[in-house]
Amino acid sequence: LPKFRELAGDTANGMYYATHFSMATITGLPAGQSFAKEFRAAYGKEPDYIDAESYDAATATILAIEKAGKADRTAVRDALRQVEFEGTRGHFAFDKKGDPTFTAHIVLVKDGQETNGRTQMK
């Protein structure tokens, strides 16, 4: 959404939106902070939601393979359903339907910048 903020200018101020990841919303997430630090060191830029989602997906996959103990498709699939960890976006697990669960991040645009909307909601 940086392009949106650029195009909207001051009219974006006061807008809330949900996202899967934002640098402004990871202050209370040690795994997110660590990921951002390592990402900046490796790539010289801030990570975005696609980077964070990809990192969490890779982490879930690696944990499932380790839990399965073998490179068997069915065993890895079954192990994936039991994966649970602290990811870049918060606590990550799968529900009974197999959908990932984590808390959405809420951003508030303030003075043209992303801020943590959860800490500023009334």
Side-chain angles (χ1 to χ4, degrees), residues 1-17 107-115:
L1 286 169
K3 191 65 171 176
F4 164 77
R5 289 192 326 266
E6 176 189 330
L7 294 172
D10 290 341
T11 60
N13 289 326
M15 183 185 125
Y16 286 91
Y17 61 88
V107 170
L108 167 64
V109 179
K110 192 172 186 178
D111 298 323
Q113 300 298 313
E114 289 185 348
T115 63

Side-chain angles (χ1 to χ4, degrees), residues 18-39:
T19 184
H20 292 281
F21 178 86
S22 168
M23 291 298 295
T25 62
I26 62 170
T27 55
L29 301 172
Q33 292 172 346
S34 176
F35 164 71
K37 181 179 177 182
E38 292 174 20
F39 191 93

Side-chain angles (χ1 to χ4, degrees), residues 51-94:
D51 302 315
E53 286 178 351
S54 299
Y55 187 86
D56 284 347
T59 299
T61 302
I62 291 166
L63 291 172
I65 292 168
E66 289 173 351
K67 190 173 194 69
K70 56 186 174 180
D72 174 76
R73 181 183 307 194
T74 302
V76 172
R77 181 204 61 204
D78 293 344
L80 187 60
R81 293 177 178 157
Q82 300 170 24
V83 166
E84 195 169 337
F85 62 98
E86 294 304 317
T88 63
R89 302 168 293 151
H91 186 77
F92 187 94
F94 291 95

